[in-house]
Structure formats: C-alpha cells, structure tokens
C-alpha cells in the first residue's frame, strides 16, 4: 500500500467512524449511505489483501482489523510482534493491544500502542506543547525539509500527517531517552508509522492498574511519591517535562511504578508555558498522593526541582493557555 492509498484508507476509516452529521434531505442521507457502503466494501477488500501476509488471534471488528493489519504488518515483518492477542484499552487517541513478540524480543508479551488515524486532529491546544520542539519524522530525526515544515505550518492535509507522525515519534524518542537515563518507563522496542511496541507492564496477561485505581498503605504511598518525584527529576535532567502527568498515566505493579504516555512531552527551554505545565503535572501528582495520606506541597516540590536544574520560575501565563475545564488551571487562574 503506498502513501496516497494509505491516506485515502485512513480517510475512509475516519469517515466510517465519525460520519454522524445530520443531513437535510432524505436523498442526501440515501446518497451518503450508499457511498459509505461502497467505501466499506473497498476497505474490506484491502483488509483481505493485507491479511494474507499477517494473521492474528484477536477477533477484531472489520474496520479495526483493517487498521490493525495495516499498522502492524511492518512490525510483524521485523519480528517485533508475532500475534495480537487482545485489546487491553481503547482510547480516543490510541488503543493498546497485548501481543506476542516475534524473535526480536525476548519476553512473553509486548504491548502495541496504536494511534487512531490522525487522532491528534482533535487534540486541544497541541500548539502549546509544541512550542520549542523540533518536529520529528518517522525515523525520529528532526525534520529538515522546508516543504515539510511549511506543510505543518499551513496545516495542509499532508502537513497534518507529518505533525501526527512527529507526535508519535516524540513519544517513542522520549521513552528511549528516559529508559537509557534509568527512569521507570516501559522499555520501548520499536516504532513504525502509527504504532509503538513496548514492554507490557502487567502480571501475566493482566495489565497493571493505573495508580489512580490503587489504594496504597501510608508507607508505600510515601515511598512511591518519592519515586515519582525522582522520575520527574530524571526527566528534567533530560530536558523533558511530561506534560500530562497524573495518577492516570502511572502504572502500578509489584510495589513499583511506570510512567507512560509521552507524546505531549514539553521541553523546558524555549517554551514560555514550561513552568506552568511542570507545576500542573506536580499538582496532579500531589492531588492523588494527598488522598493516600501523603502530605505534599506541589508548589514547593516543583519549585525546588525546577530551580535546582537551573530554570527560572515564570509565573506569567497567557490566558489562552488556561483550560477552564481543568480544576488545576482554574486554581492557577484564581491565584493570578
Ligand atoms: N506498556 C503498557 N503496559 C500495560 N498497559 C499499558 C501500557 N501502556 C499503556 N497501557 C494502558 O493503556 C492505557 C492507554 O495508554 P496511554 O495512556 O499511553 O494512551 P492514551 O492515548 O493517553 O489513552 P488514554 O486517553 O486512555 O489515556 C493506559 O492508561 C494503560 O492502562
Ligand atoms: Mg493516558
């Protein structure tokens, strides 16, 4: 499947899931229905073509199957995965699948995080995170072609594709960086197109719970809070801020933690919102740990880490970057 065909196919996949708009006349509805059926038929044929190269155990719905086959065929070719066993989580932006690895990984299971086609199209305020970040290509190297950079700036459909790819590449590159720096993150194995293969954090087939679903004893809560702070500091030492850190993006297994979900990672230098985003991360972490009996001062913890790494605290925030839906942001607004 070439790039153009793939794009077409993604459009169809998006439409097939999202074409719920109300139409005026009955005739328009019928026309839309028939062209939808036509697209579905074409998509199904294509899925069949790919499935000759790669089959898996998980019984997916028809569109999901086509999407999985297309996303994972290359990873299977390269022995990162041998089989898809089941869907662990389905999200708005990405879904996580439990897979059996191929010969390239020595473990019982791996996780494949697969982004929905152009999922980030709906991402609110992604510009805020991208300030000061160089966009990356599918190999994780900085984009150098002016045409690509211009396409992103102009938001052409090709540009959106490049931007989407850059977002995924950031997640993978960050996991590689942090893993090498000794942070508690799943081991990243491979990235191809819209999928990342990484260590599966779980007990046998059972995925580890998110920290927010776990009640900790007092001593363990204190120990894990310190561990999260330690990880946040490792991130800072690597010039990275998580950007969406909370007990929802920390997994808990055997008394330890793993930080996950890095596409929105922020660079402290060159992003005027960096301090605020960093403080928001720490506030959310403290929100959880306070419910577990840990006395923590989010501002002080964040400020100590931040200044110890040589950064200045810049309190001024452009109101454009505040999210009224977010209690932590509202708190910050009240403080102003
Ligand atoms: N390596 C992993 N091992 C086990 N489970 C994982 C792993 N990575 C992610 N998960 C599970 O999949 C869920 C979604 O992953 P992640 O947070 O990276 O994606 P997301 O796009 O932010 O999805 P969501 O919007 O649901 O948070 C996580 O909340 C976690 O439960
Ligand atoms: Mg998440």
């Amino acid at each position: 499947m070439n790039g153009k065909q793939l794009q077409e196919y993604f459009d169809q996949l998006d439409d097939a899931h999202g074409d719920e708009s109300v139409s005026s006349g009955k005739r328009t509805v019928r026309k839309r229905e028939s062209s939808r059926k036509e697209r579905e038929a074409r998509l199904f044929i294509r899925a069949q073509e790919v499935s000759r190269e790669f089959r898996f155990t998980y019984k997916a719905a028809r569109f999901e199957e086509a999407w999985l086959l297309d996303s994972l065929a290359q990873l299977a070719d390269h022995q990162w995965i041998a089989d898809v066993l089941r869907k662990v989580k389905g999200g708005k932006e990405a879904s996580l699948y439990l897979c059996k690895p191929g010969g390239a990984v020595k473990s019982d299971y791996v996780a494949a995080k697969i982004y929905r086609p152009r999922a980030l199209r709906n991402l609110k305020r992604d510009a805020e995170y991208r300030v000061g970040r160089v966009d990356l290509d599918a190999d994780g190297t900085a984009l150098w072609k002016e045409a690509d950079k211009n396409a992103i700036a102009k938001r052409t459909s090709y540009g959106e594709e490049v931007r989407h790819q850059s977002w995924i590449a950031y997640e993978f590159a960050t996991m590689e960086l942090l893993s090498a720096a000794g942070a508690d993150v799943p081991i990243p194995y491979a990235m191809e197109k819209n999928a990342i293969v990484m260590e599966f954090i779980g007990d046998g087939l059972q995925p580890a719970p998110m920290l927010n679903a776990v009640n900790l004893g007092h001593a363990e809560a204190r120990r894990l809070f310190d561990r999260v702070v330690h990880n946040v500091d490792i991130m800072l030492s690597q010039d990275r801020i998580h950007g969406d850190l909370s007990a929802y993006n920390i997994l808990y297994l055997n008394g330890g933690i793993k930080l996950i979900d890095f596409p929105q990672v922020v660079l402290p230098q060159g992003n005027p919102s960096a301090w605020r985003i960093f403080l928001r991360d720490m506030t959310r972490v403290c929100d959880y740990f306070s419910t577990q009996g840990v006395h923590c001062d989010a501002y002080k913890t964040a400020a100590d880490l931040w200044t110890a790494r040589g950064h200045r605290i810049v309190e001024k925030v452009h109101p454009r970057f505040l999210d009224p839906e977010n209690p932590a942001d509202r708190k910050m607004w009240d403080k102003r």
Side-chain angles (χ1 to χ4, degrees):
M1 204 180 277
N2 67 31
K4 190 160 171 288
Q5 284 171 319
L6 184 64
Q7 191 53 52
E8 220 180 57
Y9 157 70
F10 277 178
D11 284 342
Q12 289 166 5
L13 191 57
D14 265 4
D15 289 350
H17 282 278
D19 192 7
E20 304 296 341
S21 57
V22 184
S23 118
S24 39
K26 273 186 191 155
R27 199 180 299 162
T28 325
V29 174
R30 264 203 302 273
K31 213 166 141 196
R32 189 169 287 171
E33 275 293 302
S34 80
S35 73
R36 185 188 205 150
K37 283 201 178 109
E38 220 178 284
R39 285 198 304 261
E40 287 188 7
R42 278 208 307 267
L43 181 61
F44 185 63
I45 292 166
R46 256 185 250 168
Q48 300 247 303
E49 282 166 16
V50 188
S51 70
R52 281 188 210 114
E53 299 153 33
F54 175 50
R55 285 172 188 283
F56 48 78
T57 304
Y58 170 60
K59 294 281 167 275
R62 192 164 56 153
F63 284 101
E64 186 189 13
E65 185 184 47
W67 173 57
L68 278 176
L69 287 167
D70 189 64
S71 308
L72 297 176
Q74 246 172 297
L75 286 161
D77 273 357
H78 296 150
Q79 299 289 309
W80 294 110
I81 61 167
D83 193 4
V84 183
L85 300 177
R86 68 185 178 90
K87 188 196 256 181
V88 176
K89 286 267 165 77
K92 273 201 307 291
E93 306 286 335
S95 296
L96 194 97
Y97 295 86
L98 175 68
C99 301
K100 252 192 153 9
V105 184
K106 298 269 160 291
S107 76
D108 291 340
Y109 305 108
V110 288
K113 179 173 177 177
I114 313 183
Y115 283 85
R116 281 180 58 72
R118 287 186 274 134
L120 308 164
R121 183 177 56 181
N122 303 322
L123 198 92
K124 269 204 282 168
R125 303 175 305 124
D126 88 309
E128 178 187 13
Y129 297 96
R130 286 179 56 239
V131 177
R133 260 174 45 161
V134 180
D135 284 305
L136 303 178
D137 67 14
D139 300 324
T141 43
L143 282 189
W144 54 275
K145 283 190 204 151
E146 283 306 317
D148 286 351
K149 294 186 200 167
N150 286 338
I152 291 184
K154 286 190 187 148
R155 297 208 156 220
T156 64
S157 70
Y158 171 70
E160 293 295 279
E161 217 183 299
V162 177
R163 187 171 69 96
H164 185 216
Q165 186 64 64
S166 170
W167 199 262
I168 299 167
Y170 256 100
E171 168 142 58
F172 187 68
T174 303
M175 289 177 76
E176 281 189 310
L177 181 76
L178 297 182
S179 191
D184 299 315
V185 300
I187 302 166
Y189 293 122
M191 174 189 76
E192 303 261 9
K193 296 196 301 196
N194 58 329
I196 290 175
V197 178
M198 64 180 117
E199 179 187 8
F200 176 69
I201 309 300
D203 187 2
L205 293 165
Q206 202 53 39
M210 295 183 282
L211 195 54
N212 75 298
V214 180
N215 274 317
L216 304 166
H218 189 259
E220 190 177 29
R222 180 76 238 175
R223 184 175 59 75
L224 290 186
F225 174 69
D226 291 344
R227 192 73 198 170
V228 173
V229 171
H230 173 65
N231 274 276
V232 168
D233 190 46
I234 294 180
M235 290 195 74
L236 271 190
S237 77
Q238 304 299 309
D239 282 329
R240 297 292 181 275
I241 298 165
H242 188 290
D244 190 20
L245 192 60
S246 74
Y248 290 89
N249 278 328
I250 301 175
L251 302 180
Y252 172 81
L253 187 70
N254 301 330
I257 51 158
K258 298 280 180 187
L259 273 53
I260 57 164
D261 204 3
F262 298 96
Q264 69 292 314
V265 77
V266 168
L267 313 192
Q269 275 105 1
N271 188 325
S273 306
W275 159 249
R276 183 188 72 87
I277 293 171
F278 184 67
L279 177 58
R280 187 183 62 190
D281 275 2
M282 195 48 77
T283 305
R284 288 178 180 165
V285 166
C286 283
D287 285 349
Y288 166 76
F289 280 100
S290 329
T291 68
Q292 303 299 304
V294 179
H295 176 72
C296 44
D297 181 337
Y299 192 96
K300 186 174 183 320
T301 312
D304 288 351
L305 292 170
W306 189 248
T307 51
R309 291 283 171 192
H311 300 298
R312 272 188 326 114
I313 292 177
V314 183
E315 298 278 6
K316 238 178 99 193
V317 184
H318 195 288
R320 174 158 73 93
F321 290 148
L322 288 174
D323 179 358
E325 304 289 317
N326 185 311
D329 278 15
R330 275 211 303 275
K331 241 187 250 170
M332 247 168 256
W333 176 263
D334 293 341
K335 268 197 198 142
R336 283 157 54 104

